Amino acid sequence: FFLGGHDTVDFPIKFTPKHAGCYHCQILLKSSYDIRLYEIECVVNADQADAQLEFLTPAYQTVTQEIPITNVSSEDWRFEAVLEGQCFYGPPVINVPVGETVQYPLTFKPVAEC
């Protein structure tokens, strides 16, 4: 576009996503002198939330907590789990397909009273 000596123009866009994910958009601008197609991709991340789990179990007894992981994005997810602390166990990798919820089994297996 040529706008009376200006080489830029503001084009405000308001985007209000309801969920985390990847959003694609095309904007077609036409004038009698030019046609332009802009492709926009917006990636929305969910708010990070701190979580705390408390495991209460009799001494030497194992307890497992299923942690749901829901994929509301448009791409499959692959997570690598890094567990810190003694006596915690879980799969090192978990895959969550688009639109599904997968349970991550976090296990606490105490070897002494603590």
Side-chain angles (χ1 to χ4, degrees):
F1 290 106
F2 184 73
L3 303 170
H6 300 281
D7 58 359
T8 64
V9 63
D10 289 336
F11 190 80
I13 297 173
K14 183 175 181 178
F15 176 65
T16 310
K18 293 183 180 180
H19 303 287
C22 187
Y23 296 85
H24 300 273
C25 175
Q26 290 185 341
I27 300 172
L28 179 63
L29 301 176
K30 293 182 184 181
S31 76
S32 55
Y33 303 106
D34 197 4
I35 297 175
R36 295 184 186 211
L37 177 65
Y38 293 91
E39 293 189 17
I40 298 174
E41 178 180 282
C42 297
V43 177
V44 179
N45 297 316
D47 291 337
Q48 292 184 356
D50 291 331
Q52 182 175 351
L53 296 175
E54 185 173 330
F55 288 85
L56 298 174
T57 183
Y60 307 106
Q61 288 191 6
T62 300
V63 62
T64 299
Q65 173 69 51
E66 299 283 337
I67 302 171
I69 302 174
T70 303
N71 183 350
V72 295
S73 76
S74 59
E75 296 182 20
D76 291 342
W77 289 346
R78 181 182 185 276
F79 288 99
E80 292 184 19
V82 178
L83 301 177
E84 296 180 1
Q86 296 177 357
C87 307
F88 287 95
Y89 304 91
V93 174
I94 187 169
N95 294 302
V96 185
V98 171
E100 293 189 24
T101 298
V102 173
Q103 302 291 331
Y104 182 84
L106 180 62
T107 300
F108 179 63
K109 188 175 183 179
V111 293
E113 290 184 36
C114 57

